[in-house]
Amino acid sequence: MRKLLLSLFALLSFPAAAQLTDSFTDGNCTQSPAWTGDLASFQVNTQLQLQSNGPATTGTTLQLVTPCQAATGTTWEFYANLKLATSGSNYADVWLMADQPDLKIPGTKGYFVRLGGTPDEVSLFRKDASGSPVYVVNGLDGTLSSSTNNVVRVRVTRSLQNGWTLERDLTGAGTSYITEGTATDATHQRSNYTGVLLTYSSANSRNFYFDDFRVTDATPPTLVSATPATARQLDVVFNELVDASPSAVSYRLTGAGAPAVLTAQRDAADPALVHLTLGSDLPLGNNTLEVRNVADLYGNTAAGPLTLSFLNKGFPVLPGVNQVLITEIMADETPAVGLPASEYLEIYNPTAGALLDLGGLRLQKAGSSTAAVFPAGAVLAPGEYAIVCGSTRAAEFAGFGKVFGLSNFSSLSNSGDQLLLRSRTAQTLFEVSYSDTWYKDNRKKEGGWALEMVDLANPCAGIDNWTASTDASGGTPGRANSLKVTNPDRTPPALLRAVALSPTTVRLFFGEKLDSAAVANPALYGLVPAVGITRVAPVGPDFRMVDLALGSPLTVNQRTTVAAQRITDCVGNAAGPATSTTFALPDVPAPDAVVINEILFNPRTSGVDFVELLNRSAQYLDLRGWQLSSETETGTDVQNISREPYVLAPGQLVVLTTRPDVVQSQYPTNDPTTFLALSSFPSLPDDAGTVILLNTTGQKLDSYTYNKSQHLALLDDLNGVSLERTRPEGPSLASNFHSAASTVGYATPGRPNSQYQADPGGSKFFRVEPETFTPDGDGQQDFTSINYTLNQPGYVASVTVYDALGRLTRRLVRNESLAVTGFLPWDGLNDQGRKAPIGYYVFFIELLQPSSGLKYEYKRTVVLGARL
């Protein structure tokens, strides 16, 4: 090995008269030049030829190599005699170029001439790092047809333009060459070794003979490329290894304002690469390099000027926030409209003049540790688009422009995902949380159409700045989006709510993405009652939240106002007047503090279920860790409400659903902040079930058993109709729920219930409210109630409804135990489930106290009317 390294050093360091010559006239193969490998299995015979002398074992492979760096503008010659019948088990590969000294391993790259093989041919092959060898020149089959004496002299020439010529002379004299063919192949530009690799069966271990190896490079170097590495360094690549001594070499940049070349240094690892240090910054645009007197390792000198024009686009810089954008999303690729049936993203460089270095940039979903990483050397020019897809899909988009095929490219959810572009240091550079509602087109939502950003100057906006592509193919990967219009964001950020995460930490929630640097100033925030703010921390990855660290702890349930002023969103809009909201440090919930206020269990087509909660206490309560459960005949389904802090103020509503956007589209609300999106929702059967609210310890806070029969019997279609609690302070029983009114769209998520009925109070045993009602489903006095307040518990009541003529209309309750206070509703239906006629009606109330046997009777009148 030491002798091999010394020989390689000599070739790299000093010009030589010939690149490689060995006719074995010195009687050995270990000196001038030194061959290495299976030396014990070769000999230089008495005819001064290299002869195989390996073990007589079928399937043996032998090799010898010697250093040789010649690659282009080179001629290889050698003599061979295979005294055997060539076959697929008996052949010789003479390697002209090899990148490593072990020719037996699959990963060796280069070119070789095969003598023999199954076709008995003389052919030129290329070998890559993986895969089988491939033909460069496929020689004539049957050329080596003798079973005892296959003499051949081979000459291979590679031009500076990577043109290959394969010639052979079967006389062995080298005077009667016949061309086997020509080809062009520029795959491998470097060489470290030349050698032979033999494969044989047991009878042929001594039947390979070689002589007159000669490698000649008679052509001077040429320029291949010049690449700006920094503002003052230019990397110059030649087609072959060049002399390390630059004393006679002249490097010059031409043109007005061209910088001087101060030093030229050959690269230590790649002798074909020279680093030029410049005296001043390299101008942008086209430049020309001129080189004189550069020589290769073999004394060939390019005396005249070598010239090469190159473009300086600028030097890659790391992208900052919103300097690389996701501008197009193909999440649902099937059925394909006109593009490949493959998910992809489109990225864009919106800067005016920055060439972005994307190497190490990470594409991932929020909350995932897996990322698709851009490779080293990946760049994006100013105003340039690129397609990003899985590594196995890159070829499908090759015709659309620049493509980055990345490993670990995560599957994009059809319904929506939160996507992040993060720097090498994990800084969030861009975030988008798309949803299938962004298509704004139910047909395109079904697949084959991309989502496109409308105004690239407004990268922080959501649904208002995205829509389905209008291009006939379904998208515009790699080019300007189909709907490209001005859509600026001129709205300052609004403070939506605040939550006390702990006695000394308050989290503020804003309606849009913020400028994380601009909003980190404690002077922008204030609390009443006054509490000092020691630190402000914007919360990623989308920076819609800000955490305030307080100098002193908050008091439980103390109402506090927080104000924020001059808060800047991520496109520069700043709030003028202070925006404020109230909050308090949450308390431990009292029994029945939060109740089920409304439920939709049988949604419309394309709709979703929801459950609305009401905080009817005077406490501030945190829903973090609470659960919503469904009990049916088939089992229990429990789902988490929130893993993050979510505080309900006294009297506040919250709507739980998996798709707030869908519910809001079907039941418009003026306050979308009352909605809390759940990742999963308990299964609610369309006919009947029980919904249960549980706290962090699994304790039941409230439950409601629903049934479709509880709906107003006059309704023809129950789909999309919610059941609403009529009295907040009443029990979670069927008697305290009613179908939502038609006048409000049959549900009121996030709004006061349409069937809300105030408690009339008072000290009378029984009172009817309202005294006139119109049961038509319009939300206006759709039912009446017998409100009662008793002097003690333990009463049992029966209530019967009669019309003005004394005819039985409805047995409302029979022997029902009553609480001390409560109400009994009548929806205007008779015992047959039909609406009773308009007119006067009498409630006949029988009140019994079982403990004493006392019995009381009451009559109350009511009018069942109709709207004209």
Side-chain angles (χ1 to χ4, degrees):
M1 176 60 77
R2 182 172 181 273
K3 188 176 291 184
L4 182 152
L5 293 175
L6 288 173
S7 177
L8 175 60
F9 175 78
L11 282 168
L12 290 175
S13 303
F14 304 102
Q19 290 71 13
L20 175 68
T21 301
D22 199 346
S23 297
F24 307 102
T25 56
D26 56 2
N28 67 75
C29 60
T30 58
Q31 298 179 14
S32 302
W35 295 77
T36 60
D38 299 318
L39 283 172
S41 295
F42 288 88
Q43 65 179 8
V44 176
N45 59 24
T46 56
Q47 288 77 36
L48 299 181
Q49 293 179 328
L50 181 67
Q51 180 184 355
S52 62
N53 187 27
T57 303
T58 297
T60 298
T61 58
L62 303 176
Q63 67 174 348
L64 282 183
V65 296
T66 190
C68 184
Q69 289 75 42
T72 59
T74 300
T75 300
W76 293 265
E77 300 174 86
F78 62 89
Y79 166 92
N81 187 358
L82 276 58
K83 296 183 178 183
L84 49 87
T86 63
S87 66
S89 303
N90 293 276
Y91 58 89
D93 291 340
V94 180
W95 281 74
L96 314 178
M97 296 171 55
D99 68 326
Q100 52 189 324
D102 192 345
L103 307 180
K104 299 178 182 180
I105 62 176
T108 301
K109 299 179 294 185
Y111 299 91
F112 63 83
V113 173
R114 174 160 292 177
L115 305 177
T118 301
D120 302 324
E121 63 187 354
V122 178
S123 294
L124 177 64
F125 284 84
R126 184 187 80 237
K127 178 65 176 65
D128 301 325
S130 61
S132 301
V134 295
Y135 280 108
V136 177
V137 176
N138 187 357
L140 182 67
D141 291 355
T143 298
L144 305 180
S145 57
S146 172
S147 61
T148 59
N149 192 49
N150 291 295
V151 174
V152 64
R153 189 174 291 270
V154 177
R155 180 168 66 192
V156 180
T157 304
R158 182 182 188 179
S159 71
L160 294 176
Q161 294 74 37
N162 299 297
W164 294 85
T165 301
L166 173 63
E167 301 173 282
R168 49 86 174 168
D169 180 355
L170 298 183
T171 70
T175 57
S176 305
Y177 278 111
I178 295 174
T179 300
E180 288 282 359
T182 60
T184 299
D185 191 299
T187 305
H188 302 305
Q189 294 288 319
R190 299 285 184 269
S191 176
N192 290 319
Y193 299 93
T194 289
V196 295
L197 178 65
L198 313 181
T199 301
Y200 60 81
S201 55
S202 59
N204 296 317
S205 62
R206 294 174 51 82
N207 293 341
F208 295 85
Y209 296 80
F210 298 94
D211 206 352
D212 298 337
F213 285 96
R214 183 174 183 84
V215 182
T216 306
D217 177 356
T219 57
T222 62
L223 279 171
V224 174
S225 66
T227 305
T230 68
R232 297 193 178 188
Q233 180 178 312
L234 185 65
D235 289 347
V236 181
V237 177
F238 293 89
N239 70 314
E240 60 180 319
L241 314 187
V242 294
D243 188 356
S245 174
S247 57
V249 184
S250 168
Y251 294 92
R252 186 170 74 94
L253 290 165
T254 63
V261 178
L262 300 183
T263 63
Q265 181 66 45
R266 193 181 70 173
D267 188 84
D270 184 358
L273 170 62
V274 176
H275 304 292
L276 305 183
T277 302
L278 310 180
S280 59
D281 288 354
L282 188 67
L284 294 174
N286 290 315
N287 292 267
T288 301
L289 173 67
E290 181 183 278
V291 183
R292 295 176 183 269
N293 298 321
V294 65
D296 63 16
L297 297 181
Y298 315 113
N300 301 305
T301 302
L306 302 176
T307 59
L308 180 70
S309 294
F310 63 93
L311 180 64
N312 178 20
K313 297 181 180 180
F315 305 98
V317 297
L318 296 178
V321 175
N322 288 335
Q323 286 191 329
V324 55
L325 311 177
I326 295 174
T327 53
E328 190 167 334
I329 303 169
M330 177 63 86
D332 189 353
E333 72 278 18
T334 56
V337 175
L339 296 173
S342 177
E343 296 178 349
Y344 70 83
L345 301 175
E346 176 188 81
I347 59 174
Y348 174 69
N349 177 355
T351 66
L355 179 64
L356 299 181
D357 179 3
L358 303 185
L361 187 72
R362 302 170 68 84
L363 168 66
Q364 63 190 114
K365 293 184 180 182
S368 172
S369 59
T370 301
V373 182
F374 285 75
V379 295
L380 198 61
E384 186 178 23
Y385 295 89
I387 301 156
V388 183
C389 60
S391 56
T392 60
R393 301 286 188 171
E396 299 179 32
F397 293 99
F400 293 88
K402 178 177 283 189
V403 181
F404 295 112
L406 305 182
S407 299
N408 294 326
F409 181 85
S410 296
S411 177
L412 304 176
S413 172
N414 293 351
S415 59
D417 260 323
Q418 185 178 25
L419 306 177
L420 307 175
L421 288 173
R422 283 182 162 153
S423 70
R424 304 170 187 173
T425 59
Q427 179 189 14
T428 299
L429 305 180
F430 181 78
E431 179 273 345
V432 59
S433 298
Y434 72 89
S435 165
D436 58 11
T437 59
W438 289 17
Y439 290 97
K440 303 161 191 166
D441 186 316
N442 288 333
R443 178 179 63 88
K444 294 181 178 181
K445 175 181 172 181
E446 295 306 313
W449 297 86
L451 287 170
E452 296 181 346
M453 185 185 288
V454 174
D455 185 353
L456 306 190
N458 185 13
C460 302
I463 188 172
D464 294 336
N465 197 41
W466 286 77
T467 192
S469 176
T470 59
D471 191 88
S473 68
T476 55
R479 55 191 173 94
N481 289 345
S482 58
L483 190 62
K484 188 177 180 181
V485 298
T486 301
N487 183 36
D489 174 9
R490 296 191 175 94
T491 304
L495 176 59
L496 303 180
R497 62 188 179 96
V499 171
L501 303 182
S502 73
T504 56
T505 304
V506 178
R507 176 164 290 178
L508 309 184
F509 296 79
F510 290 85
E512 58 181 310
K513 300 177 187 179
L514 306 178
D515 182 330
S516 59
V519 301
N521 182 3
L524 302 179
Y525 309 90
L527 275 71
V528 178
V531 179
I533 299 172
T534 60
R535 186 173 61 89
V536 177
V539 181
D542 58 355
F543 300 106
R544 294 173 182 265
M545 300 178 291
V546 174
D547 284 351
L548 307 181
L550 308 182
S552 57
L554 298 168
T555 301
V556 172
N557 275 332
Q558 180 179 344
R559 182 183 175 93
T560 302
T561 300
V562 58
Q565 57 183 339
R566 303 192 310 278
I567 303 301
T568 306
D569 65 19
C570 79
V571 293
N573 297 308
T579 178
S580 64
T581 189
T582 59
F583 70 97
L585 184 65
D587 199 354
V588 177
D592 298 325
V594 178
V595 294
I596 296 166
N597 194 55
E598 185 175 358
I599 178 172
L600 179 67
F601 54 86
N602 189 10
R604 300 171 185 168
T605 302
S606 74
V608 293
D609 297 338
F610 71 77
V611 171
E612 180 185 75
L613 306 180
L614 167 66
N615 180 2
R616 62 181 184 181
S617 74
Q619 301 172 289
Y620 285 81
L621 303 173
D622 189 356
L623 302 187
R624 177 168 49 177
W626 289 21
Q627 294 176 317
L628 193 66
S629 172
S630 170
E631 288 187 357
T632 63
E633 294 179 354
T634 58
T636 301
D637 184 3
V638 181
Q639 300 295 339
N640 293 316
I641 290 178
S642 179
R643 298 186 185 277
E644 300 296 327
Y646 193 96
V647 175
L648 281 184
Q652 185 178 345
L653 299 170
V654 61
V655 182
L656 310 179
T657 181
T658 56
R659 294 296 302 271
D661 53 331
V662 173
V663 177
Q664 291 168 23
S665 68
Q666 296 183 346
Y667 308 100
T669 179
N670 295 326
D671 190 4
T673 63
T674 59
F675 285 75
L676 179 58
L678 275 59
S679 58
S680 298
F681 206 76
S683 176
L684 301 182
D686 290 348
D687 53 353
T690 299
V691 180
I692 304 172
L693 180 64
L694 306 170
N695 66 10
T696 54
T697 62
Q699 178 185 3
K700 183 187 295 186
L701 298 178
D702 189 33
S703 67
Y704 170 55
T705 300
Y706 67 87
N707 192 295
K708 65 180 181 180
S709 65
Q710 296 167 11
H711 276 296
L712 181 64
L714 299 176
L715 295 174
D716 294 327
D717 184 2
L718 301 181
N719 293 325
V721 183
S722 72
L723 286 173
E724 297 179 329
R725 178 182 289 266
T726 57
R727 292 190 180 176
E729 70 285 350
S732 295
L733 299 174
S735 60
N736 196 26
F737 280 79
H738 196 279
S739 301
S742 62
T743 54
V744 295
Y746 293 108
T748 55
R751 293 183 289 160
N753 288 349
S754 61
Q755 301 293 8
Y756 167 77
Q757 190 179 76
D759 185 353
S763 59
K764 297 179 180 180
F765 267 19
F766 296 98
R767 178 180 176 183
V768 176
E769 182 70 27
E771 295 180 348
T772 300
F773 72 112
T774 54
D776 52 11
D778 66 354
Q780 302 295 317
Q781 299 174 331
D782 279 340
F783 60 95
T784 188
S785 296
I786 304 172
N787 304 282
Y788 60 87
T789 302
L790 306 177
N791 58 0
Q792 63 184 50
Y795 283 104
V796 174
S798 295
V799 180
T800 307
V801 183
Y802 295 94
D803 65 13
L805 299 178
R807 293 174 296 192
L808 175 65
T809 299
R810 176 80 173 270
R811 292 180 177 87
L812 200 57
V813 296
R814 273 289 175 266
N815 298 320
E816 182 173 310
S817 297
L818 300 184
V820 174
T821 62
F823 66 98
L824 303 170
W826 181 42
D827 55 10
L829 301 184
N830 60 23
D831 280 340
Q832 289 72 45
R834 294 190 291 270
K835 183 178 177 181
I838 295 172
Y840 286 90
Y841 289 85
V842 175
F843 290 119
F844 179 63
I845 305 166
E846 299 172 278
L847 189 63
L848 172 67
Q849 192 177 54
S851 61
S852 64
L854 295 177
K855 183 177 181 181
Y856 306 92
E857 294 182 353
Y858 303 88
K859 293 180 181 179
R860 297 289 186 268
T861 60
V862 68
V863 177
L864 191 159
R867 299 189 184 278
L868 301 178

